[in-house]
Amino acid sequence: TQLLEQSPQFLSIQEGENLTVYCNSSSVFSSLQWYRQEPGEGPVLLVTVVTGGEVKKLKRLTFQFGDARKDSSLHITAAQTGDTGLYLCAGGAGGGGADGLTFGKGTHLIIQP
Amino acid sequence: KAGVTQTPRYLIKTRGQQVTLSCSPISGHRSVSWYQQTPGQGLQFLFEYFSETQRNKGNFPGRFSGRQFSNSRSEMNVSTLELGDSALYLCASAQGAATEAFFGQGTRLTVV
């Protein structure tokens, strides 16, 4: 059974600070997706990484896929209150899509003004 | 462009009953995946349908079933409901494999 461990489970920081969220597994995934979910809504895809060592940037968010494709990290620079939400990583067998994804339990992020 | 629509948004059922949830994917999307989200287990994959065929299935008991219609709309059914089936049920649609998936807002099922 493939498992994805996310850490930390909860994180509360002040606006303007930097943070990193981790997603680790003992299994290799073909792709790793990051989602953000807000209360009462479904998850929204932020990025998909497929190549070991790949780094993708989305404004103040930087995503990295480990060389061995077993782990990933999400770094947020100068966090804003709008970044508050549940961040989920999900490993897949293909290059994207939502078929058969293995999700981590998420990191609850609160950015305080 | 309309998003993924799930109905109903909220549902309360009694133990032992059965329930049917509906998911209308984005127009043109042929893949629909279903997930169960609970605080303890997070999101867990139920099954995926593409062009009316179930292509993949997660590790859930046979009480959980689904189907997809020719217009790509999908339904999932849970029979003989248990208290532990209380969860947010999410569906996601995609054009096909390896394409971006879009989630609906989910159906919040409470079993009492």
Side-chain angles (χ1 to χ4, degrees), chain A residues 37 40-42, chain B residues 4-6 9 88-91 103-107:
Chain A
Q37 185 178 21
E41 302 291 331
Chain B
V4 179
T5 304
Q6 291 190 245
R9 289 292 310 278
L88 180 67
Y89 289 88
L90 293 158
C91 80
F103 280 84
Q105 292 181 297
T107 293

Side-chain angles (χ1 to χ4, degrees), chain A residues 33 35 37 40-45 86 88 94-105, chain B residues 9 33 35 37 40-43 45 48 55-56 88 90 92 96 98-101 103-105:
Chain A
Q33 301 176 25
Y35 291 84
Q37 185 178 21
E41 302 291 331
V44 175
L45 180 66
L86 175 65
L88 297 157
D99 175 21
L101 294 173
T102 298
F103 277 86
K105 292 187 179 179
Chain B
R9 289 292 310 278
S33 300
Y35 285 83
Q37 185 175 27
Q41 299 299 318
L43 276 97
F45 173 69
E48 189 258 357
R55 296 196 301 187
N56 199 2
L88 180 67
L90 293 158
T99 59
E100 182 178 358
F103 280 84
Q105 292 181 297

